[in-house]
Amino acid sequence: MAVDVERALALELPSFEVTVERGRLRFFAQSIGETDPIYIDVDAARAVGHPDLPVPPTFMFSLSLEAPAPFGYLEELGVDLRTVLHGEQRFDYATLSFAGDTLALSERIAEVTSKRGGAMEFLTKETVITRGNEYIARATSVVVVRNSVVSA
Amino acid sequence: MNAQTLRVGTTLPPLPLAPISRTTLALFAGASGDHNPIHIDLDNARSAGFEDVFAHGMLSMAYLGRLLTGWVDQSRIQSFSVRFVAITPVHAQPTCTGVVTSLTEDSVTVDVAVTLADGTTTLEGQAVITLPAPAEQDTDS
């Protein structure tokens, strides 16, 4: 089923706040085999001048998954999650964030395009991450919807 | 990173990884918050036309993040972008690589990639890294 482009671009994605948990960052580090102590040990992080464990480069994506219904926008557009692949991911960083920070995320669907006569659609979601009035980073995700691969 | 010896073509120390197990996928699902069942539930993957579960693209991007932060302080990363060009099957063995492709007075662009043991490239991307100011360079190595 083709995505309704006008509807996608008009979708209001809820803004939300996430407090970054130290234990969660350690779990993330463990799951990716990270051994650099500054991502695991608070004393090691402080020894290099950080206030706490830094949020690693790609964990910004995980922050956006803390939304109440992270794939809700796809469901609202009638997209079967099984047909979705992650196509591209970009991060632009202004400054680091750390365990204990409360970060605000605001999201929008920035673009919808299609290829092969609509057989593949590309949805671009942009997430701006701030801490108080301070801009921290921007995350840009492109998901690919493979239409008509699931027959059921 | 030693800013003084950087040249176009300088390679980053590669990051070889262990084969990706189902346990890794389960742990990464929990740790990353990406609970899409296609990565952890064989029945779900098959119903979508895949033979087996496959790794989260963001797991490979996180490995590339390790490649970068193992080379420079994270605060020097200005931007980091990838295209996911092929699926990473369970049990595949990725290696992360990076090569300097351009260099200005204050920043360096690194092309990064993740390649499996069979030669398949799964991720291609770029990172832009801020170089230390000249005054810092004596102590930053």
Side-chain angles (χ1 to χ4, degrees), chain A residues 24 27-28 31-34 39 55-58 61-62 65 82 86-93 96 146, chain B residues 27-28 30-34 44 47-48 50 54 58 61-63 66 69 74 77-84:
Chain A
R24 178 70 183 281
F27 181 24
F28 186 81
S31 75
I32 65 168
E34 180 60 84
Y39 293 102
V55 175
T58 64
F61 181 81
S62 295
L65 295 175
R82 292 175 300 169
H86 201 167
E88 295 174 35
Q89 182 65 42
R90 178 182 175 91
F91 299 102
D92 293 275
Y93 306 102
L96 293 183
R146 302 169 305 139
Chain B
L27 291 176
F28 187 74
S32 73
D34 184 346
N44 184 277
S47 76
F50 295 97
F54 55 94
M58 289 306 290
M61 192 176 187
Y63 289 147
R66 285 181 52 197
T69 60
Q74 190 185 332
I77 306 174
Q78 292 175 31
S79 66
F80 178 20
S81 61
V82 300
R83 290 188 310 122
F84 301 97

Side-chain angles (χ1 to χ4, degrees), chain A residues 12-27:
Chain A
E12 297 262 345
L13 303 186
S15 296
F16 58 99
E17 289 193 341
V18 184
T19 299
V20 182
E21 295 165 7
R22 199 187 272 170
R24 178 70 183 281
L25 293 187
R26 283 204 191 100
F27 181 24

Side-chain angles (χ1 to χ4, degrees), chain B residues 79-113:
Chain B
S79 66
F80 178 20
S81 61
V82 300
R83 290 188 310 122
F84 301 97
V85 294
I87 277 175
T88 303
V90 65
H91 306 312
Q93 187 168 7
T95 297
C96 298
T97 57
V99 58
V100 172
T101 50
S102 77
L103 199 58
T104 67
E105 274 186 13
D106 50 16
S107 74
V108 55
T109 302
V110 176
D111 277 13
V112 291

Side-chain angles (χ1 to χ4, degrees), chain A residues 88-123:
Chain A
E88 295 174 35
Q89 182 65 42
R90 178 182 175 91
F91 299 102
D92 293 275
Y93 306 102
T95 189
L96 293 183
S97 54
F98 301 94
D101 285 352
T102 296
L103 302 175
L105 281 79
S106 87
E107 303 194 301
R108 68 186 185 104
I109 305 298
E111 194 179 36
V112 182
T113 58
S114 69
K115 278 187 189 168
R116 296 186 204 160
M120 293 175 88
E121 291 182 291
F122 301 82
L123 277 79

